[in-house]
Amino acid sequence: MNKLFRYEFVSVALGILGVLLGLYLPEWAISLEFIGKIFILLLKMLIIPLVVTSIFLSLARLRHEEIKSLGGFTISYYLATSAFACTVGLVIANSISFAQGMPPEGTVAYDASKLADISFTSVITSFFAGNFFHALSEGNIIQVVVFTLFVGMASLQLPIGKREALVNLADSFQDVLMIIIHWIIKFAPLGIFSLLAAIVAKTDTQLFQGLGPLFMAISLAVIIHVGITLSGIGYFVGGFNPYAFLFKVKRALVVALTTASSTATLPVSNQELIDHGQVKEKTSGFILPLGATLNMDGSALYQGIVLIFLAEFSGMDLSLSQQLLIFFFVMTSSIGSAGIPGGGLMMFGAVMEMVGIPLEYIGVYLLVDRFWDYPITMVNVLGDLIGAKTIDRWID
């Protein structure tokens, strides 16, 4: 217990020190950024093997009826939280006047020709890899997930002896990964110190002048979604204290906040759920990899508000049908962009074009995203963690 307390104390102390270093010695902060980059690279090194082994073991160890139950609960949870998040974002965006929120001059220009065309067929085909090893080398998580789902389902058709041999091999390999993850987590405070220092040093707060109403709307929506929606689901459906649970998995949330990557946080999230969240390995191994690529309720909330802001900024009064289009966009954007390089930006540009917002204003989105990418990623990861804990209650 004392050892854990010392670790947490060192983590907090280094985090505060990183912020102070970024504020008062920005040159030093930037020069030490390489430490944080090494930390992120170590995490990313484990993503693909962890995704493959976790999903495969989760499926190979389940009975057919358990797969249906787990899959049904997972899809229902993802759809429900994304819908709640999007609704909260749109309601708040329509309740707040953005008239005072004028982006600083010179930040709205953007070359719209950089946005590639995106279509329904390109989204669907991006889920599948013509060459699995190419998907591995490119780090295309969604294609790796789809391939692993096929392999896991196919393994259920093998004779018991052959399937057990595969399971034992994957299980042993995952045990090795867990040992490496424990090593990396010990290095986490130093990596977080470096990342926080660099983030603070590089952030020019003057760029965000005039965006107060937008930032207030996003902040309010995040508080409602985390404090009411996700917490309510955890308490009433999952049967656990969401605030105590948040404290138990805080290490994953801090990593998400400093890396701005749900997938890079995946190894830490998985370890935190098993070690401190009392979640079964088969549940976390199935839900977290899918959530890290497909479930982005924080992004749904955030992008809906930014789209309403850009519409008002460009002088538009969105109709109900246009707002419904935004609703369906943010509900599906994470899935649609998961397998396409730069897909998030392209999907955002596509809905701007469909709604009628000038594409040149996407520069405002890029500006705002420089700040909100970090906390919104933390909300996405929190949604995955609460989802795994909630669903675990209903899986034997």
Side-chain angles (χ1 to χ4, degrees):
M1 186 68 180
N2 290 334
K3 186 176 180 181
L4 178 62
F5 176 79
R6 287 197 301 270
Y7 179 89
E8 300 297 346
F9 176 80
V10 170
S11 299
V12 173
L14 283 176
I16 295 173
L17 183 61
V19 172
L20 294 175
L21 185 68
L23 286 173
Y24 298 107
L25 296 170
E27 296 84 3
W28 282 29
I30 294 175
S31 69
L32 294 175
E33 188 181 9
F34 76 95
I35 300 174
K37 289 183 177 179
I38 292 174
F39 174 60
I40 294 176
L41 289 172
L42 289 173
L43 289 175
K44 288 185 175 181
M45 174 182 69
L46 298 173
I47 292 171
I48 296 295
L50 184 63
V51 166
V52 172
T53 56
S54 296
I55 293 180
F56 173 77
L57 288 171
S58 297
L59 291 176
R61 288 170 171 167
L62 293 175
R63 300 186 301 272
H64 285 282
E65 56 271 20
E66 288 180 318
I67 293 176
K68 292 180 181 179
S69 176
L70 185 58
F73 278 126
T74 302
I75 293 173
S76 299
Y77 173 82
Y78 287 165
L79 289 176
T81 55
S82 294
F84 282 135
C86 180
T87 302
V88 168
L90 292 179
V91 169
I92 290 178
N94 281 282
S95 303
I96 294 179
S97 173
F98 294 121
Q100 303 294 326
M102 292 293 286
E105 187 178 351
T107 61
V108 298
Y110 184 79
D111 184 3
S113 65
K114 294 181 181 179
L115 295 174
D117 292 331
I118 192 168
S119 64
F120 176 78
T121 55
S122 66
V123 169
I124 298 301
T125 55
S126 71
F127 289 6
F128 303 93
N131 185 329
F132 176 65
F133 295 100
H134 179 72
L136 289 176
S137 65
E138 292 291 318
N140 194 315
I141 301 296
I142 187 62
Q143 293 180 354
V144 172
V145 167
V146 170
F147 178 83
T148 309
L149 287 172
F150 276 114
V151 173
M153 295 293 291
S155 70
L156 298 176
Q157 307 300 317
L158 291 174
I160 297 296
K162 289 186 176 181
R163 193 204 314 174
E164 286 183 349
L166 285 175
V167 168
N168 290 335
L169 176 63
D171 194 34
S172 298
F173 185 63
Q174 190 175 66
D175 286 342
V176 173
L177 293 177
M178 292 302 140
I179 294 172
I180 299 174
I181 290 171
H182 277 295
W183 291 347
I184 295 174
I185 288 177
K186 290 181 180 179
F187 176 65
L190 192 58
I192 291 170
F193 155 77
S194 170
L195 292 171
L196 280 175
I199 291 169
V200 172
K202 290 180 177 180
T203 301
D204 184 1
T205 55
Q206 292 182 348
L207 289 174
F208 303 112
Q209 290 178 357
L211 294 173
L214 175 61
F215 277 45
M216 181 177 68
I218 298 173
S219 300
L220 180 59
V222 166
I223 291 171
I224 292 174
H225 184 62
V226 172
I228 298 178
T229 304
L230 292 179
S231 298
I233 291 174
Y235 184 79
F236 292 106
V237 183
F240 62 92
N241 184 328
Y243 303 108
F245 175 74
L246 185 149
F247 181 79
K248 292 178 181 178
V249 297
K250 60 185 178 300
R251 196 175 301 164
L253 301 179
V254 172
V255 172
L257 180 65
T258 52
T259 62
S261 173
S262 298
T263 51
T265 311
L266 181 58
V268 181
S269 298
N270 190 66
Q271 199 65 47
E272 288 291 278
L273 278 184
I274 296 171
D275 289 350
H276 308 297
Q278 288 79 51
V279 174
K280 292 186 284 292
E281 189 173 339
K282 67 179 181 181
T283 307
S284 64
F286 181 82
I287 293 175
L288 286 184
L290 293 180
T293 52
L294 304 179
N295 180 49
M296 305 289 175
D297 47 351
S299 298
L301 171 153
Y302 157 68
Q303 290 178 346
I305 295 176
V306 175
L307 282 165
I308 298 293
F309 170 80
L310 291 179
E312 185 171 330
F313 177 67
S314 61
M316 294 179 59
D317 184 13
L318 293 177
S319 64
L320 178 61
S321 61
Q322 288 172 314
Q323 296 211 28
L324 286 175
L325 180 63
I326 291 176
F327 176 84
F328 287 114
F329 158 71
V330 297
M331 282 281 291
T332 58
S333 62
S334 60
I335 299 175
S337 61
I340 303 174
L345 181 62
M346 288 191 287
M347 289 291 286
F348 197 88
V351 78
M352 285 179 64
E353 197 167 33
M354 285 186 282
V355 173
I357 302 172
L359 281 177
E360 289 75 15
Y361 292 149
I362 203 170
V364 179
Y365 166 71
L366 294 174
L367 168 66
V368 173
D369 199 55
R370 287 170 58 182
F371 174 84
W372 280 104
D373 192 26
Y374 297 91
I376 291 300
T377 299
M378 185 175 67
V379 176
N380 290 335
V381 170
L382 177 60
D384 296 338
L385 293 169
I386 288 181
K389 179 66 174 177
T390 299
I391 295 170
D392 190 61
R393 178 189 182 186
W394 304 96
I395 303 297
D396 295 328

